[in-house]
Amino acid sequence: MTIAELSPQIQAGKISPVELVTETLARIRRHQPALNAYITVMEESAMEQARQAEREIRTGHYRGPLHGIPYAAKDLFYTRGVATTAGSKILRDFVPDYDATVIERLREAGAILVGKTGLHEFAYGVTNNNPHFGPVHNPWDLARIPGGSSGGSTAALAAGLCTFSLGSDTGGSVRIPASFCGLVGLKPTFGRISRYGVFPLGHTLDHVGHFGLSVADVAAILGVLAGPDPRDDSSANEPPPRLDLSAEPGLKGFRLGVPRNYYFERLEPEAEAAVRAAIQVLRGLGAEMEEVEIQGIEDFTVLSRLILMPEATALHRARLKTRRADFGPDVLALLDQGQFILATDYLDAQRRRRQLVRGLDRLFDRVQAIVTPTTPTTAPKIGETMIKLGGQDEDVRLASTRLVRGLNLAGVPAISVPCGFDSKGLPIGLQIFGRAFDEYAVLRVAHAYEQASEWRKRRPPMAAL
Amino acid sequence: MTIAELSPQIQAGKISPVELVTETLARIRRHQPALNAYITVMEESAMEQARQAEREIRTGHYRGPLHGIPYAAKDLFYTRGVATTAGSKILRDFVPDYDATVIERLREAGAILVGKTGLHEFAYGVTNNNPHFGPVHNPWDLARIPGGSSGGSTAALAAGLCTFSLGSDTGGSVRIPASFCGLVGLKPTFGRISRYGVFPLGHTLDHVGHFGLSVADVAAILGVLAGPDPRDDSSANEPPPRLDLSAEPGLKGFRLGVPRNYYFERLEPEAEAAVRAAIQVLRGLGAEMEEVEIQGIEDFTVLSRLILMPEATALHRARLKTRRADFGPDVLALLDQGQFILATDYLDAQRRRRQLVRGLDRLFDRVQAIVTPTTPTTAPKIGETMIKLGGQDEDVRLASTRLVRGLNLAGVPAISVPCGFDSKGLPIGLQIFGRAFDEYAVLRVAHAYEQASEWRKRRPPMAAL
């Protein structure tokens, strides 16, 4: 059940947070062995919070739509007194003494943290097979990856082991697993959500994001997470996003862009067909479709990699000396590469980035949002490293990130919503992005599409078990 | 005369902008040979604007306090159709086809640009003796430098060759020449004033700033310059600064910090005595004085140099290959050094910077502003490279920048106001800085001090000629 379905019943006392959390924990026990979605399950504290929520609601202190709702957080959000591994061996025993701002905000909203989910090592590893914690499995097909790096959060949510979840997105790590697991995943604008207490990867690329079973749920969660934070100097002092999705149900007069370049190259035919069909649905909803050219989009992708490398290495440099043997081989190779990049090259990349972002911003004078595929393929198999697309062999990770990574450079809001299934029964994602701080446009298009389609109601068979 | 003195008379038609500009241009012709303050004088366009201002005011279209006021801009502000050399041989013939945002804003406010002023080569040169345009001379003593890198703007203003002027401040380049020329110079908060169309030096350190004959003038100019600019992505979306300086004339209950560390080391005794006396004046105005420790201030200074080097080199890298022989030797040496800094070192410095800035920000929970000397000495002689301070030899440029440079790292607003004269008759500057975006606190302290002292009325003898 979605938050929107649960919360009126929780408020009315018809659904008990204690029962909801008890059932969620039972589902975790049942499915965790097959999925490996969680690194830490917080049974005791979750039950205690559920009892507290129940008391509060019974005595008339209802906090809002997340009150009593169980959620999961990628294991790089700091949780006071609870191990926060960042998927690494090095931090396996690290227990923060404070909560991330978003964890704090969710607690104040009454949401109940049931556990910390698996991820790529330091959110940076190439392989989905985390060398320290093993692979997370996709509930749609246990032989497949859920996508990364926030894959534990989407595996847990898709299988019904929580009602929403938190992720982070430095090069697509929210949108890719949303696409591969058939969920709604939002990366809001850079600066929209505090990063305080979130283990970093790339200082100018990291975004906090989140997953829900519907666009309305994702909007409700954003309402709690968004807002300035004096403890995070990248946090923006902007008015809160508009979130009233039912105000304008159709898309009449809404101007939507479809890129003519880059985004529709080398796609799996079934993925492309689903996205093209979704665009027809959007047109049917009254949106005015316009072909757009996203200038320099190849450079967006290349530069985001060049910028990330030294940023990640700078963060890990001390550990690279003292704990070299404790990194997985793929992370180590990336961190080593980052050591040799010159500051002037990094700064040139940042300068070119600013030019590109200005160019993209001008596009939003003509269209209010742009729709593309999220990923060129559905979920690959665990261990699969190369994939054939458009007759070319392509590295699986490069393929998964190539349609999403550029938007981390741009910092603009981007969502992935389910838009169909391939013949193997695997979900396909539609990416929608808009102007900086205009989450409303992105959510509105996603919501209108979702209402007009039936995909979101399709859940993996495991979710019913 | 100050803007505050001129503008009511201009508005009332008692002073004619045409006469004012005519006289300013005559003064430029008279003193330019001795001062070398201007690189370009814009006689024709200034006269045309003066006539336009006069027409507008006569017909009841008074634009505000800068209408009809002649000003000068450091020759790195882009001016459409007028050479913008950045003090370099390489850009000697560069004529921009658009105006900097601040030039545009000043034109809209009716201010009249009379010329472009001399500066260090690319605002980066070590020597005040610009190898391409020769030294600018200090109106208080022609054998001395006006300070850099915005020295042409202060020489012109102190000698009466304009009524206010624009500068830029990457490592003290507004506050140093304000101190050496006995003027008020403000570097507002990073992001407060648009940098669009300002030839850059250090992307994360550059600030636009300005000079006036009084704190009230500087506040009035800030009112025109401040504000967000979509064309500059470093521009901040903050509400405008409070500028009503007469609202609270005294400093009763105002909490002022005086650093116990760093800022009072190795000062010329006369400079120290003047600053200590100014602190007594502030106490007499009712301010509560508190000793503060500015943690890591040495690191502020070191890091600002480390961060600037690759930022400047990245900007000039193409020219460094194609126009190597056309750089002055000191700029070339600095640019060459910047090539070898690793991105990880640069990023580490930026991370440490964020920690330091958070620490400084916390200090402003206890005090509303902090007062220090602006420079450890009064203006050095042209050609002087070493100076003896506290029994140690010190490089003149390092000495001039050491009390100001750290605040470019912090991005906080900082002003220099005259606070006395040494026995050679050279002006001494008092630096006041406050919390990010709290220009009001800084201006208020400076204004109260200025009202209680007589220094601002002392002008170099040349100004009367």
Side-chain angles (χ1 to χ4, degrees), chain A residues 203 233 238 310 314 317 341 343-348 351 354, chain B residues 203 233 237 310 314 317 341 343-348 351 354:
Chain A
H203 183 72
D233 48 26
E238 291 283 327
R317 196 150 62 150
I341 292 170
T344 47
D345 287 318
Y346 171 81
L347 288 161
D348 266 352
R351 188 151 48 117
R354 292 191 292 272
Chain B
H203 182 72
D233 48 26
N237 201 3
R317 197 150 61 151
I341 292 169
T344 47
D345 286 318
Y346 171 81
L347 288 161
D348 265 351
R351 188 151 49 117
R354 292 191 292 272

PDB file of all heavy atoms in Angstrom, chain A residues 203 233 238 310 314 317 341 343-348 351 354, chain B residues 203 233 237 310 314 317 341 343-348 351 354:
ATOM      1  N   HIS A 203      31.509  16.103  -4.073  1.00  0.00           N
ATOM      2  CA  HIS A 203      30.947  17.265  -3.374  1.00  0.00           C
ATOM      3  C   HIS A 203      30.001  18.083  -4.243  1.00  0.00           C
ATOM      4  O   HIS A 203      29.001  18.603  -3.760  1.00  0.00           O
ATOM      5  CB  HIS A 203      32.067  18.151  -2.845  1.00  0.00           C
ATOM      6  CG  HIS A 203      31.570  19.323  -2.067  1.00  0.00           C
ATOM      7  ND1 HIS A 203      31.022  19.196  -0.810  1.00  0.00           N
ATOM      8  CD2 HIS A 203      31.491  20.641  -2.364  1.00  0.00           C
ATOM      9  CE1 HIS A 203      30.640  20.375  -0.371  1.00  0.00           C
ATOM     10  NE2 HIS A 203      30.920  21.273  -1.295  1.00  0.00           N
ATOM     11  N   ASP A 233      26.424  23.658   3.760  1.00  0.00           N
ATOM     12  CA  ASP A 233      26.621  24.904   3.018  1.00  0.00           C
ATOM     13  C   ASP A 233      26.265  24.769   1.543  1.00  0.00           C
ATOM     14  O   ASP A 233      26.279  25.761   0.818  1.00  0.00           O
ATOM     15  CB  ASP A 233      28.023  25.488   3.227  1.00  0.00           C
ATOM     16  CG  ASP A 233      29.094  24.454   3.042  1.00  0.00           C
ATOM     17  OD1 ASP A 233      28.859  23.482   2.312  1.00  0.00           O
ATOM     18  OD2 ASP A 233      30.170  24.613   3.638  1.00  0.00           O
ATOM     19  N   GLU A 238      15.922  28.469  -0.862  1.00  0.00           N
ATOM     20  CA  GLU A 238      14.848  28.680  -1.834  1.00  0.00           C
ATOM     21  C   GLU A 238      13.501  28.449  -1.162  1.00  0.00           C
ATOM     22  O   GLU A 238      13.409  27.668  -0.222  1.00  0.00           O
ATOM     23  CB  GLU A 238      14.984  27.679  -2.993  1.00  0.00           C
ATOM     24  CG  GLU A 238      16.180  27.915  -3.889  1.00  0.00           C
ATOM     25  CD  GLU A 238      15.985  29.062  -4.868  1.00  0.00           C
ATOM     26  OE1 GLU A 238      14.840  29.278  -5.307  1.00  0.00           O
ATOM     27  OE2 GLU A 238      16.969  29.738  -5.192  1.00  0.00           O
ATOM     28  N   PRO A 310      38.434  13.204  -9.083  1.00  0.00           N
ATOM     29  CA  PRO A 310      39.228  13.821  -8.006  1.00  0.00           C
ATOM     30  C   PRO A 310      38.404  14.155  -6.772  1.00  0.00           C
ATOM     31  O   PRO A 310      38.940  14.134  -5.655  1.00  0.00           O
ATOM     32  CB  PRO A 310      39.795  15.087  -8.660  1.00  0.00           C
ATOM     33  CG  PRO A 310      38.906  15.364  -9.823  1.00  0.00           C
ATOM     34  CD  PRO A 310      38.391  14.037 -10.295  1.00  0.00           C
ATOM     35  N   ALA A 314      39.728  12.864  -3.293  1.00  0.00           N
ATOM     36  CA  ALA A 314      40.047  13.817  -2.217  1.00  0.00           C
ATOM     37  C   ALA A 314      39.383  13.385  -0.911  1.00  0.00           C
ATOM     38  O   ALA A 314      39.979  13.471   0.163  1.00  0.00           O
ATOM     39  CB  ALA A 314      39.606  15.226  -2.606  1.00  0.00           C
ATOM     40  N   ARG A 317      41.290  10.203   0.464  1.00  0.00           N
ATOM     41  CA  ARG A 317      42.740  10.171   0.329  1.00  0.00           C
ATOM     42  C   ARG A 317      43.450   9.642   1.564  1.00  0.00           C
ATOM     43  O   ARG A 317      44.399   8.855   1.438  1.00  0.00           O
ATOM     44  CB  ARG A 317      43.270  11.551  -0.045  1.00  0.00           C
ATOM     45  CG  ARG A 317      44.683  11.449  -0.564  1.00  0.00           C
ATOM     46  CD  ARG A 317      44.956  12.527  -1.557  1.00  0.00           C
ATOM     47  NE  ARG A 317      44.832  13.820  -0.926  1.00  0.00           N
ATOM     48  CZ  ARG A 317      45.518  14.883  -1.313  1.00  0.00           C
ATOM     49  NH1 ARG A 317      46.391  14.773  -2.297  1.00  0.00           N
ATOM     50  NH2 ARG A 317      45.351  16.033  -0.740  1.00  0.00           N
ATOM     51  N   ILE A 341      44.761  13.678 -11.523  1.00  0.00           N
ATOM     52  CA  ILE A 341      44.108  14.758 -12.269  1.00  0.00           C
ATOM     53  C   ILE A 341      44.591  16.106 -11.729  1.00  0.00           C
ATOM     54  O   ILE A 341      44.671  16.311 -10.514  1.00  0.00           O
ATOM     55  CB  ILE A 341      42.580  14.591 -12.177  1.00  0.00           C
ATOM     56  CG1 ILE A 341      42.206  13.326 -12.968  1.00  0.00           C
ATOM     57  CG2 ILE A 341      41.855  15.824 -12.701  1.00  0.00           C
ATOM     58  CD1 ILE A 341      40.788  12.881 -12.787  1.00  0.00           C
ATOM     59  N   ALA A 343      44.586  20.117 -10.932  1.00  0.00           N
ATOM     60  CA  ALA A 343      43.565  21.084 -10.501  1.00  0.00           C
ATOM     61  C   ALA A 343      43.061  21.911 -11.677  1.00  0.00           C
ATOM     62  O   ALA A 343      41.868  22.211 -11.779  1.00  0.00           O
ATOM     63  CB  ALA A 343      44.134  21.990  -9.412  1.00  0.00           C
ATOM     64  N   THR A 344      43.960  22.283 -12.579  1.00  0.00           N
ATOM     65  CA  THR A 344      43.522  23.104 -13.713  1.00  0.00           C
ATOM     66  C   THR A 344      42.570  22.329 -14.620  1.00  0.00           C
ATOM     67  O   THR A 344      41.636  22.904 -15.177  1.00  0.00           O
ATOM     68  CB  THR A 344      44.728  23.606 -14.521  1.00  0.00           C
ATOM     69  OG1 THR A 344      45.615  22.506 -14.740  1.00  0.00           O
ATOM     70  CG2 THR A 344      45.476  24.692 -13.773  1.00  0.00           C
ATOM     71  N   ASP A 345      42.794  21.021 -14.777  1.00  0.00           N
ATOM     72  CA  ASP A 345      41.862  20.217 -15.582  1.00  0.00           C
ATOM     73  C   ASP A 345      40.502  20.138 -14.893  1.00  0.00           C
ATOM     74  O   ASP A 345      39.450  20.248 -15.531  1.00  0.00           O
ATOM     75  CB  ASP A 345      42.417  18.804 -15.796  1.00  0.00           C
ATOM     76  CG  ASP A 345      43.567  18.796 -16.787  1.00  0.00           C
ATOM     77  OD1 ASP A 345      43.469  19.495 -17.802  1.00  0.00           O
ATOM     78  OD2 ASP A 345      44.574  18.111 -16.533  1.00  0.00           O
ATOM     79  N   TYR A 346      40.550  19.929 -13.594  1.00  0.00           N
ATOM     80  CA  TYR A 346      39.306  19.891 -12.828  1.00  0.00           C
ATOM     81  C   TYR A 346      38.552  21.219 -12.961  1.00  0.00           C
ATOM     82  O   TYR A 346      37.344  21.247 -13.208  1.00  0.00           O
ATOM     83  CB  TYR A 346      39.631  19.591 -11.361  1.00  0.00           C
ATOM     84  CG  TYR A 346      38.452  19.735 -10.438  1.00  0.00           C
ATOM     85  CD1 TYR A 346      37.516  18.725 -10.311  1.00  0.00           C
ATOM     86  CD2 TYR A 346      38.263  20.911  -9.703  1.00  0.00           C
ATOM     87  CE1 TYR A 346      36.423  18.863  -9.478  1.00  0.00           C
ATOM     88  CE2 TYR A 346      37.167  21.061  -8.867  1.00  0.00           C
ATOM     89  CZ  TYR A 346      36.247  20.037  -8.757  1.00  0.00           C
ATOM     90  OH  TYR A 346      35.168  20.181  -7.945  1.00  0.00           O
ATOM     91  N   LEU A 347      39.284  22.315 -12.834  1.00  0.00           N
ATOM     92  CA  LEU A 347      38.641  23.636 -12.882  1.00  0.00           C
ATOM     93  C   LEU A 347      38.138  23.979 -14.279  1.00  0.00           C
ATOM     94  O   LEU A 347      37.089  24.606 -14.433  1.00  0.00           O
ATOM     95  CB  LEU A 347      39.606  24.699 -12.356  1.00  0.00           C
ATOM     96  CG  LEU A 347      39.808  24.614 -10.847  1.00  0.00           C
ATOM     97  CD1 LEU A 347      41.079  25.332 -10.414  1.00  0.00           C
ATOM     98  CD2 LEU A 347      38.603  25.209 -10.121  1.00  0.00           C
ATOM     99  N   ASP A 348      38.883  23.545 -15.294  1.00  0.00           N
ATOM    100  CA  ASP A 348      38.387  23.705 -16.669  1.00  0.00           C
ATOM    101  C   ASP A 348      37.071  22.961 -16.849  1.00  0.00           C
ATOM    102  O   ASP A 348      36.147  23.472 -17.497  1.00  0.00           O
ATOM    103  CB  ASP A 348      39.400  23.128 -17.660  1.00  0.00           C
ATOM    104  CG  ASP A 348      40.346  24.176 -18.197  1.00  0.00           C
ATOM    105  OD1 ASP A 348      40.119  25.377 -17.927  1.00  0.00           O
ATOM    106  OD2 ASP A 348      41.305  23.803 -18.882  1.00  0.00           O
ATOM    107  N   ARG A 351      34.357  24.855 -15.313  1.00  0.00           N
ATOM    108  CA  ARG A 351      33.990  26.041 -16.101  1.00  0.00           C
ATOM    109  C   ARG A 351      33.109  25.651 -17.287  1.00  0.00           C
ATOM    110  O   ARG A 351      32.072  26.258 -17.545  1.00  0.00           O
ATOM    111  CB  ARG A 351      35.250  26.751 -16.596  1.00  0.00           C
ATOM    112  CG  ARG A 351      34.974  28.086 -17.245  1.00  0.00           C
ATOM    113  CD  ARG A 351      36.141  29.025 -17.077  1.00  0.00           C
ATOM    114  NE  ARG A 351      37.376  28.346 -17.441  1.00  0.00           N
ATOM    115  CZ  ARG A 351      38.154  28.714 -18.460  1.00  0.00           C
ATOM    116  NH1 ARG A 351      37.830  29.756 -19.182  1.00  0.00           N
ATOM    117  NH2 ARG A 351      39.268  28.072 -18.737  1.00  0.00           N
ATOM    118  N   ARG A 354      29.629  24.982 -16.185  1.00  0.00           N
ATOM    119  CA  ARG A 354      28.772  26.162 -16.003  1.00  0.00           C
ATOM    120  C   ARG A 354      28.193  26.635 -17.340  1.00  0.00           C
ATOM    121  O   ARG A 354      27.035  27.025 -17.423  1.00  0.00           O
ATOM    122  CB  ARG A 354      29.554  27.284 -15.313  1.00  0.00           C
ATOM    123  CG  ARG A 354      29.910  26.969 -13.866  1.00  0.00           C
ATOM    124  CD  ARG A 354      30.439  28.180 -13.111  1.00  0.00           C
ATOM    125  NE  ARG A 354      31.729  28.634 -13.576  1.00  0.00           N
ATOM    126  CZ  ARG A 354      32.911  28.187 -13.144  1.00  0.00           C
ATOM    127  NH1 ARG A 354      32.972  27.240 -12.213  1.00  0.00           N
ATOM    128  NH2 ARG A 354      34.026  28.683 -13.613  1.00  0.00           N
TER     129      ARG A 354
ATOM    130  N   HIS B 203      37.815  31.914  -9.426  1.00  0.00           N
ATOM    131  CA  HIS B 203      36.353  31.758  -9.521  1.00  0.00           C
ATOM    132  C   HIS B 203      35.666  31.738  -8.160  1.00  0.00           C
ATOM    133  O   HIS B 203      34.563  32.269  -8.019  1.00  0.00           O
ATOM    134  CB  HIS B 203      36.013  30.480 -10.287  1.00  0.00           C
ATOM    135  CG  HIS B 203      34.544  30.281 -10.469  1.00  0.00           C
ATOM    136  ND1 HIS B 203      33.804  31.048 -11.340  1.00  0.00           N
ATOM    137  CD2 HIS B 203      33.662  29.451  -9.864  1.00  0.00           C
ATOM    138  CE1 HIS B 203      32.535  30.685 -11.275  1.00  0.00           C
ATOM    139  NE2 HIS B 203      32.419  29.714 -10.385  1.00  0.00           N
ATOM    140  N   ASP B 233      26.141  32.657 -12.214  1.00  0.00           N
ATOM    141  CA  ASP B 233      25.638  31.562 -11.380  1.00  0.00           C
ATOM    142  C   ASP B 233      26.233  31.584  -9.971  1.00  0.00           C
ATOM    143  O   ASP B 233      25.834  30.787  -9.132  1.00  0.00           O
ATOM    144  CB  ASP B 233      25.800  30.191 -12.050  1.00  0.00           C
ATOM    145  CG  ASP B 233      27.177  29.993 -12.614  1.00  0.00           C
ATOM    146  OD1 ASP B 233      28.114  30.630 -12.108  1.00  0.00           O
ATOM    147  OD2 ASP B 233      27.311  29.213 -13.568  1.00  0.00           O
ATOM    148  N   ASN B 237      20.688  34.471  -4.263  1.00  0.00           N
ATOM    149  CA  ASN B 237      19.286  34.859  -4.300  1.00  0.00           C
ATOM    150  C   ASN B 237      18.847  35.284  -2.895  1.00  0.00           C
ATOM    151  O   ASN B 237      18.038  34.630  -2.259  1.00  0.00           O
ATOM    152  CB  ASN B 237      18.479  33.651  -4.792  1.00  0.00           C
ATOM    153  CG  ASN B 237      17.137  34.069  -5.348  1.00  0.00           C
ATOM    154  OD1 ASN B 237      16.848  35.256  -5.411  1.00  0.00           O
ATOM    155  ND2 ASN B 237      16.330  33.109  -5.701  1.00  0.00           N
ATOM    156  N   PRO B 310      45.651  27.507  -8.847  1.00  0.00           N
ATOM    157  CA  PRO B 310      45.101  26.757  -9.989  1.00  0.00           C
ATOM    158  C   PRO B 310      43.881  27.435 -10.609  1.00  0.00           C
ATOM    159  O   PRO B 310      43.655  27.301 -11.822  1.00  0.00           O
ATOM    160  CB  PRO B 310      44.740  25.396  -9.395  1.00  0.00           C
ATOM    161  CG  PRO B 310      44.622  25.626  -7.927  1.00  0.00           C
ATOM    162  CD  PRO B 310      45.555  26.747  -7.591  1.00  0.00           C
ATOM    163  N   ALA B 314      43.938  28.038 -14.511  1.00  0.00           N
ATOM    164  CA  ALA B 314      42.907  27.434 -15.372  1.00  0.00           C
ATOM    165  C   ALA B 314      42.310  28.488 -16.304  1.00  0.00           C
ATOM    166  O   ALA B 314      42.062  28.215 -17.477  1.00  0.00           O
ATOM    167  CB  ALA B 314      41.817  26.792 -14.516  1.00  0.00           C
ATOM    168  N   ARG B 317      45.001  29.362 -19.048  1.00  0.00           N
ATOM    169  CA  ARG B 317      45.797  28.272 -19.593  1.00  0.00           C
ATOM    170  C   ARG B 317      45.989  28.360 -21.098  1.00  0.00           C
ATOM    171  O   ARG B 317      47.095  28.122 -21.594  1.00  0.00           O
ATOM    172  CB  ARG B 317      45.206  26.933 -19.203  1.00  0.00           C
ATOM    173  CG  ARG B 317      46.213  25.830 -19.387  1.00  0.00           C
ATOM    174  CD  ARG B 317      45.990  24.731 -18.414  1.00  0.00           C
ATOM    175  NE  ARG B 317      44.674  24.162 -18.625  1.00  0.00           N
ATOM    176  CZ  ARG B 317      44.398  22.890 -18.349  1.00  0.00           C
ATOM    177  NH1 ARG B 317      45.346  22.105 -17.876  1.00  0.00           N
ATOM    178  NH2 ARG B 317      43.203  22.425 -18.532  1.00  0.00           N
ATOM    179  N   ILE B 341      49.528  21.952  -9.446  1.00  0.00           N
ATOM    180  CA  ILE B 341      48.731  21.590  -8.269  1.00  0.00           C
ATOM    181  C   ILE B 341      47.720  20.505  -8.653  1.00  0.00           C
ATOM    182  O   ILE B 341      47.080  20.589  -9.691  1.00  0.00           O
ATOM    183  CB  ILE B 341      48.055  22.851  -7.697  1.00  0.00           C
ATOM    184  CG1 ILE B 341      49.164  23.747  -7.121  1.00  0.00           C
ATOM    185  CG2 ILE B 341      47.016  22.501  -6.634  1.00  0.00           C
ATOM    186  CD1 ILE B 341      48.709  25.127  -6.751  1.00  0.00           C
ATOM    187  N   ALA B 343      44.373  18.166  -8.439  1.00  0.00           N
ATOM    188  CA  ALA B 343      42.957  18.414  -8.144  1.00  0.00           C
ATOM    189  C   ALA B 343      42.622  17.995  -6.715  1.00  0.00           C
ATOM    190  O   ALA B 343      41.848  18.671  -6.027  1.00  0.00           O
ATOM    191  CB  ALA B 343      42.077  17.662  -9.136  1.00  0.00           C
ATOM    192  N   THR B 344      43.191  16.897  -6.254  1.00  0.00           N
ATOM    193  CA  THR B 344      42.874  16.440  -4.890  1.00  0.00           C
ATOM    194  C   THR B 344      43.388  17.442  -3.850  1.00  0.00           C
ATOM    195  O   THR B 344      42.742  17.645  -2.819  1.00  0.00           O
ATOM    196  CB  THR B 344      43.459  15.052  -4.624  1.00  0.00           C
ATOM    197  OG1 THR B 344      44.810  15.033  -5.066  1.00  0.00           O
ATOM    198  CG2 THR B 344      42.671  13.979  -5.363  1.00  0.00           C
ATOM    199  N   ASP B 345      44.541  18.066  -4.108  1.00  0.00           N
ATOM    200  CA  ASP B 345      45.037  19.087  -3.170  1.00  0.00           C
ATOM    201  C   ASP B 345      44.116  20.303  -3.172  1.00  0.00           C
ATOM    202  O   ASP B 345      43.801  20.877  -2.131  1.00  0.00           O
ATOM    203  CB  ASP B 345      46.460  19.521  -3.548  1.00  0.00           C
ATOM    204  CG  ASP B 345      47.477  18.447  -3.196  1.00  0.00           C
ATOM    205  OD1 ASP B 345      47.356  17.868  -2.100  1.00  0.00           O
ATOM    206  OD2 ASP B 345      48.368  18.181  -4.017  1.00  0.00           O
ATOM    207  N   TYR B 346      43.719  20.695  -4.370  1.00  0.00           N
ATOM    208  CA  TYR B 346      42.776  21.816  -4.490  1.00  0.00           C
ATOM    209  C   TYR B 346      41.480  21.500  -3.747  1.00  0.00           C
ATOM    210  O   TYR B 346      40.962  22.319  -2.969  1.00  0.00           O
ATOM    211  CB  TYR B 346      42.501  22.081  -5.978  1.00  0.00           C
ATOM    212  CG  TYR B 346      41.393  23.074  -6.217  1.00  0.00           C
ATOM    213  CD1 TYR B 346      41.632  24.439  -6.134  1.00  0.00           C
ATOM    214  CD2 TYR B 346      40.098  22.649  -6.505  1.00  0.00           C
ATOM    215  CE1 TYR B 346      40.608  25.351  -6.329  1.00  0.00           C
ATOM    216  CE2 TYR B 346      39.076  23.554  -6.701  1.00  0.00           C
ATOM    217  CZ  TYR B 346      39.337  24.907  -6.615  1.00  0.00           C
ATOM    218  OH  TYR B 346      38.323  25.803  -6.804  1.00  0.00           O
ATOM    219  N   LEU B 347      40.964  20.308  -3.930  1.00  0.00           N
ATOM    220  CA  LEU B 347      39.681  19.940  -3.314  1.00  0.00           C
ATOM    221  C   LEU B 347      39.806  19.786  -1.801  1.00  0.00           C
ATOM    222  O   LEU B 347      38.885  20.133  -1.059  1.00  0.00           O
ATOM    223  CB  LEU B 347      39.137  18.662  -3.959  1.00  0.00           C
ATOM    224  CG  LEU B 347      38.615  18.905  -5.384  1.00  0.00           C
ATOM    225  CD1 LEU B 347      38.521  17.597  -6.165  1.00  0.00           C
ATOM    226  CD2 LEU B 347      37.257  19.598  -5.335  1.00  0.00           C
ATOM    227  N   ASP B 348      40.952  19.276  -1.347  1.00  0.00           N
ATOM    228  CA  ASP B 348      41.208  19.237   0.102  1.00  0.00           C
ATOM    229  C   ASP B 348      41.181  20.639   0.684  1.00  0.00           C
ATOM    230  O   ASP B 348      40.639  20.877   1.763  1.00  0.00           O
ATOM    231  CB  ASP B 348      42.591  18.635   0.378  1.00  0.00           C
ATOM    232  CG  ASP B 348      42.508  17.149   0.657  1.00  0.00           C
ATOM    233  OD1 ASP B 348      41.381  16.626   0.794  1.00  0.00           O
ATOM    234  OD2 ASP B 348      43.577  16.525   0.747  1.00  0.00           O
ATOM    235  N   ARG B 351      37.760  21.804   0.997  1.00  0.00           N
ATOM    236  CA  ARG B 351      37.042  21.163   2.104  1.00  0.00           C
ATOM    237  C   ARG B 351      37.429  21.804   3.433  1.00  0.00           C
ATOM    238  O   ARG B 351      36.588  22.127   4.260  1.00  0.00           O
ATOM    239  CB  ARG B 351      37.358  19.666   2.118  1.00  0.00           C
ATOM    240  CG  ARG B 351      36.521  18.895   3.102  1.00  0.00           C
ATOM    241  CD  ARG B 351      36.322  17.468   2.639  1.00  0.00           C
ATOM    242  NE  ARG B 351      37.604  16.896   2.270  1.00  0.00           N
ATOM    243  CZ  ARG B 351      38.156  15.849   2.883  1.00  0.00           C
ATOM    244  NH1 ARG B 351      37.531  15.276   3.885  1.00  0.00           N
ATOM    245  NH2 ARG B 351      39.320  15.366   2.479  1.00  0.00           N
ATOM    246  N   ARG B 354      35.720  25.049   3.895  1.00  0.00           N
ATOM    247  CA  ARG B 354      34.338  24.994   4.394  1.00  0.00           C
ATOM    248  C   ARG B 354      34.302  24.830   5.913  1.00  0.00           C
ATOM    249  O   ARG B 354      33.465  25.437   6.583  1.00  0.00           O
ATOM    250  CB  ARG B 354      33.572  23.859   3.697  1.00  0.00           C
ATOM    251  CG  ARG B 354      33.336  24.129   2.219  1.00  0.00           C
ATOM    252  CD  ARG B 354      32.353  23.152   1.592  1.00  0.00           C
ATOM    253  NE  ARG B 354      32.860  21.794   1.503  1.00  0.00           N
ATOM    254  CZ  ARG B 354      33.570  21.295   0.482  1.00  0.00           C
ATOM    255  NH1 ARG B 354      33.878  22.063  -0.541  1.00  0.00           N
ATOM    256  NH2 ARG B 354      33.961  20.050   0.488  1.00  0.00           N
TER     257      ARG B 354
END
